[in-house]
Amino acid sequence: QVQLVESGGGLVQAGGSLRLSCAASGHTFSRYVMGWFRQAPGKEREFVAALSWNDDSTYYATSVKGRFTISRDNAKNTVYLQMNSLKPDDTAIYYCAQRRGSYYYTNSREYDYWGQGTQVTVSS
């Protein structure tokens, strides 16, 4: 049973930074992609970033490129989302997700496993 546990959310002022963590356990497949999504109140869940565990390829939504960085720690089976220059529009619940295979998708329905989410609030 795959488990994803996020942490690191909180309240920050605009222009500030936060780092989210997602610890993964229980998976046995050799190829997979880790993704971050977010969902603001009244909006659909949207893709933020993804990392292919096999070759370390990374992908970003246009809205966060240059501000957010996805990375990993193999020893800890953990993926991170470093968020800099935060804006009030970044306020949302952030979810970690995992899908089998080597290719990333921006559609949340393509992901097999999800964490419980962590709230990020950016004040103006």
Side-chain angles (χ1 to χ4, degrees):
Q1 181 73 16
V2 175
Q3 286 192 318
L4 304 175
V5 180
E6 301 107 330
S7 60
L11 172 64
V12 65
Q13 287 189 331
S17 299
L18 280 174
R19 188 177 80 157
L20 306 183
S21 301
C22 173
S25 63
H27 60 263
T28 57
F29 20 96
S30 59
R31 295 181 179 272
Y32 56 97
V33 171
M34 299 296 297
W36 285 99
F37 288 77
R38 66 186 182 186
Q39 189 165 18
K43 295 188 177 180
E44 292 190 355
R45 193 167 295 190
E46 66 172 357
F47 171 79
V48 175
L51 181 148
S52 177
W53 208 264
N54 302 92
D55 63 8
D56 224 17
S57 302
T58 56
Y59 316 90
Y60 297 93
T62 303
S63 59
V64 307
K65 195 175 267 187
R67 300 189 298 123
F68 291 10
T69 303
I70 188 170
S71 62
R72 64 176 178 177
D73 183 327
N74 286 351
K76 296 181 179 180
N77 255 351
T78 297
V79 64
Y80 303 99
L81 186 68
Q82 177 67 43
M83 304 186 295
N84 298 329
S85 302
L86 283 161
K87 306 174 182 179
D89 283 350
D90 294 319
T91 295
I93 299 175
Y94 282 71
Y95 296 91
C96 174
Q98 186 184 86
R99 70 175 305 277
R100 302 181 190 184
S102 303
Y103 190 73
Y104 84 103
Y105 288 88
T106 59
N107 188 330
S108 61
R109 290 191 292 270
E110 297 290 343
Y111 288 75
D112 305 303
Y113 304 100
W114 291 85
Q116 81 286 354
T118 185
Q119 177 71 47
V120 171
T121 303
V122 184
S123 63
S124 56

